């Protein structure tokens, strides 16, 4: 039987964060969601805290895992890497594990190849704010790769199709691709919110990688 863990989900009201919080609560863990506002519909078994990341020090005391599922939008534009850098120090001091949800373009096409964002351009129809978000996520990853706090971190990149607009189906399985992007036999890279959350919780309950990046897709 898996030991119950205290899990803090920062950005737990967003697409990825809420899926992870729901799955964690379903598995019997003690789950707190931290965001600037509380959702209209709450997940049973999840405690909701209203706070800025800079002020959550007391909330992570005693935590086993802290998950960052923030998007570089709104107040986070241009500040996500710095915010997560501060969080890494707090989590290291708390002796917890840090899991950050990143972006698809931070992955590599093949082993040893550059990360996609480093050598590939986005299609012209992609909004500028989406491109900016991807670049901030790469900044976050690069900071983790040179982290000196010693925090036990994991950077998780979902498949290309992963959002509230492309929710996908509950297929009950997934694949892990380390730093290399995963595609199916039709060249599609996708993962549903629920199967992505399962991958994250499976890694929390039975860790297989430390201070590393992984990709999750079908």
């Amino acid at each position: 039987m898996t030991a119950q863990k205290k899990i803090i989900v920062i950005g737990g009201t967003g697409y990825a964060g809420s899926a992870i919080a729901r799955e964690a609560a379903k598995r019997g863990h003690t789950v707190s969601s931290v965001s600037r506002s509380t959702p209209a519909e709450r997940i049973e078994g999840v405690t909701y805290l209203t706070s800025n990341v800079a002020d959550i020090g007391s909330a992570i005391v005693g935590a086993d895992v802290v998950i960052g599922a923030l998007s570089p939008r709104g107040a986070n534009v241009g500040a996500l890497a710095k915010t997560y850098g501060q969080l890494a120090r707090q989590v290291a001091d708390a002796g917890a594990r840090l899991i950050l949800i990143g972006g698809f373009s931070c992955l590599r096409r093949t082993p040893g190849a550059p990360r996609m964002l480093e050598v590939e351009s986005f299609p012209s129809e992609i909004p500028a704010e989406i491109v900016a978000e991807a670049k901030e996520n790469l900044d976050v990853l690069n900071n983790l790769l040179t982290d000196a706090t010693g925090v036990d971190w994991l950077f998780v990149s979902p498949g290309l199709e992963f959002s509230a607009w492309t929710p996908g189906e509950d297929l009950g399985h997934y694949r892990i691709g380390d730093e290399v992007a995963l595609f199916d036999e039709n060249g599609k890279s996708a993962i549903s919110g629920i199967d992505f959350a399962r991958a994250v919780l499976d890694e929390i309950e039975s860790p297989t990688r430390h201070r590393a990046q992984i990709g999750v897709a079908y």
Side-chain angles (χ1 to χ4, degrees), residues 4-209:
Q4 184 187 68
K5 295 183 182 294
K6 180 180 178 180
I7 300 173
I8 309 296
V9 185
I10 301 171
T13 57
Y15 179 70
S18 60
I20 293 168
R22 181 177 289 105
E23 180 66 15
K26 179 181 177 182
R27 297 190 187 197
H29 297 291
T30 300
V31 186
S32 294
S33 167
V34 180
S35 59
R36 289 190 297 270
S37 60
T38 55
E41 297 184 9
R42 301 189 178 199
I43 299 168
E44 184 177 355
V46 176
T47 299
Y48 288 88
L49 306 174
T50 304
S51 175
N52 292 318
V53 179
D55 302 322
I56 67 164
S58 60
I60 66 176
V61 173
D64 297 296
V65 181
V66 177
I67 300 170
L70 296 171
S71 295
R73 302 173 186 172
N76 292 323
V77 171
L80 191 63
K82 180 179 179 181
T83 295
Y84 277 157
Q86 295 171 340
L87 181 64
R89 289 190 289 274
Q90 291 177 303
V91 175
D93 290 342
R97 192 177 188 200
L98 176 65
I99 297 179
L100 299 183
I101 309 305
F104 172 78
S105 60
C106 293
L107 294 165
R108 308 178 192 274
R109 292 277 181 188
T110 57
R115 301 182 193 281
M116 286 183 274
L117 187 58
E118 296 172 331
V119 294
E120 300 179 25
S121 299
F122 281 82
S124 58
E125 66 270 17
I126 299 299
E129 58 267 27
I130 299 299
V131 177
E133 286 180 20
K135 291 180 178 178
E136 283 201 63
N137 275 317
L138 183 57
D139 289 340
V140 170
L141 175 58
N142 284 332
N143 285 349
L144 289 174
L145 292 170
T146 58
D147 171 74
T149 68
V151 67
D152 182 7
W153 63 265
L154 188 73
F155 186 89
V156 188
S157 293
L160 176 60
E161 294 185 21
F162 174 77
S163 72
W165 297 277
T166 54
E169 300 178 30
D170 179 353
L171 299 183
H173 63 86
Y174 61 85
R175 291 186 293 156
I176 298 292
D178 293 310
E179 295 183 326
V180 178
L182 294 171
F183 298 88
D184 65 17
E185 63 275 10
N186 298 313
K188 182 178 180 179
S189 179
I191 190 73
S192 67
I194 177 57
D195 287 326
F196 180 80
R198 287 180 177 129
V200 173
L201 264 296
D202 286 349
E203 176 61 29
I204 287 173
E205 293 178 347
S206 300
T208 62
R209 295 159 175 83

